[in-house]
Amino acid sequence: MLLLKGKMAQPNAKGGAMVVRKLRLQRGWSQEQLAEMSGLSIRTIQRIERGNKPGLETLNSLAAIFEVDLSIFNTEQLVMNEAQSLKPDEAEALQYIKSIKEFYTHLLMFTVFTSVFLLGGGWRFDGIWWPFFGWAMGVLVHGLSACEVFGWFGPHWERQMVEKRLGRKL
């Protein structure tokens, strides 16, 4: 345990997850490469990056690979200063990538479901095209929004809404 301003700091899985992901991305490593170098399984790396709490041996392995002090993964201060751990442009870039990933997941789900349905003979039903047409329009709008073709509900809009609610600039 670490001592922060007179109190014990509990290991924080979410803060540690952000650190692991940030360190991995800074070095340009994939999850598979990190797993191979650290001797951990890919599944373990994925769990850590999703916020699951790693064991001490796992943390020691990651600290050695990243050549950082073990305490970087455990500080409560990291979460309190999360804005400092990720620069605004880094946070915005991660949010953008997340929205693109969600779009591709949506597109893949639409493509697989439609293919299975149509190959299974679903095309024979009268009027079945309308739901698929509606879903395709939803995928199209999702893609345009994710790629920021439209500025609707993007990071700038969110910031404006927060500033409006607070009555001051952030």
Side-chain angles (χ1 to χ4, degrees):
M1 296 287 165
L2 296 171
L3 208 57
L4 289 176
K5 296 184 185 177
K7 64 179 184 178
M8 296 291 270
Q10 299 297 318
N12 189 298
K14 184 136 178 104
M18 290 300 292
V19 170
V20 170
R21 184 174 184 192
K22 183 176 180 179
L23 291 171
R24 179 179 62 78
L25 292 174
Q26 281 177 342
R27 287 160 175 79
W29 298 341
S30 68
Q31 289 178 336
E32 291 82 9
Q33 289 170 315
L34 177 57
E36 186 176 313
M37 289 185 285
S38 65
L40 302 170
S41 71
I42 295 171
R43 186 101 168 111
T44 299
I45 301 297
Q46 291 170 341
R47 287 180 181 148
I48 292 168
E49 288 192 5
R50 268 190 260 128
N52 291 1
K53 183 178 173 184
L56 185 58
E57 287 182 33
T58 301
L59 288 176
N60 281 328
S61 178
L62 291 171
I65 293 298
F66 289 127
E67 298 176 349
V68 297
D69 188 57
L70 182 64
S71 64
I72 196 171
F73 301 114
N74 292 332
T75 61
E76 193 173 84
Q77 184 177 14
L78 181 67
V79 172
M80 292 189 308
N81 297 329
E82 191 170 302
Q84 292 176 352
S85 70
L86 280 179
K87 295 175 186 166
D89 59 338
E90 292 173 335
E92 190 173 325
L94 284 174
Q95 182 61 38
Y96 175 76
I97 298 303
K98 183 180 176 185
S99 68
I100 295 293
K101 182 180 174 183
E102 288 170 352
F103 163 68
Y104 283 130
T105 302
H106 188 186
L107 180 62
L108 179 66
M109 187 172 51
F110 171 76
T111 304
V112 168
F113 183 81
T114 302
S115 300
V116 168
F117 184 77
L118 294 177
L119 290 174
W123 54 271
R124 294 186 203 128
F125 298 110
D126 289 334
I128 197 65
W129 298 105
W130 289 109
F132 286 100
F133 178 73
W135 194 0
M137 290 294 103
V139 170
L140 176 65
V141 169
H142 189 177
L144 293 173
S145 176
C147 294
E148 295 180 358
V149 173
F150 301 125
W152 305 331
F153 309 118
H156 301 293
W157 176 84
E158 288 178 19
R159 183 183 186 108
Q160 288 175 337
M161 292 292 101
V162 169
E163 289 174 350
K164 182 179 177 182
R165 179 76 178 177
L166 292 173
R168 62 177 170 85
K169 296 277 185 194
L170 288 178

